Amino acid sequence: GAVVSQHPSRVICKSGTSVKIECRSLDFQATTMFWYRQFPKKSLMLMATSNEGSKATYEQGVEKDKFLINHASLTLSTLTVTSAHPEDSSFYICSARGTRPFAYFGPGTRLTVL
Amino acid sequence: QKEVEQDPGPLSVPEGAIVSLNCTYSNSAFQYFMWYRQYSRKGPELLMYTYSSGNKEDGRFTAQVDKSSKYISLFIRDSQPSDSATYLCAAYSGGGADGLTFGKGTHLIIQP
């Protein structure tokens, strides 16, 4: 199957700092990328959908000024958690979709905010 | 009502048993149906996808969709401990930038 990478896989940061997570589709062009958040033993929660070259569409309740999403190219999307707080600690997963109807997921990024 | 319903389990079966995982959905616009497998602390992995109604087989896995009853199934034959994971069903209408609609996932445990 297609490969989607995420970097970093794990990050620990201090409260108040910003963290950037990268999501790359390695062998296909991702016209749409999705960002999810997942708490332990809980289901995926869609945060936002982004199409290359346009602004991301955020789900209700997700603060767009706190979770900045940039889909700069057909192979790269970034999620920046600004002024991170301990409650932002979670597992963040991106997925990417090209011309085929299904999406491929990245391996996830575990964020811990101290 | 959530658009895709899935029993979270856990579902525990002995090794070698046939496993049946199921979802129901309410949106008639859904045309594409997928099953993902997620191991703990990993991203979901696409297992199978089907278009419209019908069956699709891949090794020990069979995906089945019945659009008349809005029912999605995944069967695992000769289940193995390595199949223990959370299985998520997903549906998609095919409408451009729409995302996939996921079920909550069923936690499957295969007992050795």
Side-chain angles (χ1 to χ4, degrees), chain B residues 67-85:
Chain B
K67 289 194 73 181
S68 63
S69 59
K70 297 187 175 67
Y71 203 78
I72 313 164
S73 299
L74 178 70
F75 299 97
I76 307 174
R77 291 182 298 282
D78 187 25
S79 57
Q80 300 167 9
S82 59
D83 295 327
S84 298

Side-chain angles (χ1 to χ4, degrees), chain A residues 12-30:
Chain A
I12 301 172
C13 68
K14 291 182 179 179
S15 186
T17 60
S18 294
V19 174
K20 180 184 282 188
I21 302 169
E22 289 188 351
C23 176
R24 293 181 185 271
S25 57
L26 299 183
D27 55 0
F28 68 102
Q29 293 186 322

Side-chain angles (χ1 to χ4, degrees), chain A residues 8-106:
Chain A
S9 59
R10 180 176 293 218
V11 58
I12 301 172
C13 68
K14 291 182 179 179
S15 186
T17 60
S18 294
V19 174
K20 180 184 282 188
I21 302 169
E22 289 188 351
C23 176
R24 293 181 185 271
S25 57
L26 299 183
D27 55 0
F28 68 102
Q29 293 186 322
T31 51
T32 308
M33 285 187 167
F34 308 91
W35 286 95
Y36 296 85
R37 186 173 180 176
Q38 189 174 37
F39 291 104
K41 300 186 187 295
K42 299 294 184 184
S43 56
L44 296 168
M45 186 187 82
L46 179 65
M47 299 174 67
T49 302
S50 73
N51 292 290
E52 186 263 339
S54 60
K55 288 185 178 180
T57 301
Y58 290 81
E59 295 298 302
Q60 193 171 12
V62 178
E63 298 176 60
K64 61 179 69 175
D65 293 331
K66 180 164 188 63
F67 299 100
L68 301 178
I69 291 170
N70 186 305
H71 192 161
S73 74
L74 285 171
T75 59
L76 174 65
S77 176
T78 59
L79 166 68
T80 301
V81 182
T82 62
S83 187
H85 290 284
E87 58 265 31
D88 298 324
S89 298
S90 190
F91 192 50
Y92 292 88
I93 314 174
C94 71
S95 72
R97 185 173 66 205
T99 56
R100 308 184 82 177
F102 42 84
Y104 293 98
F105 283 84

Side-chain angles (χ1 to χ4, degrees), chain B residues 79-102:
Chain B
S79 57
Q80 300 167 9
S82 59
D83 295 327
S84 298
T86 296
Y87 289 79
L88 301 112
C89 61
Y92 170 55
S93 64
D98 289 350
L100 303 182
T101 301
F102 283 90

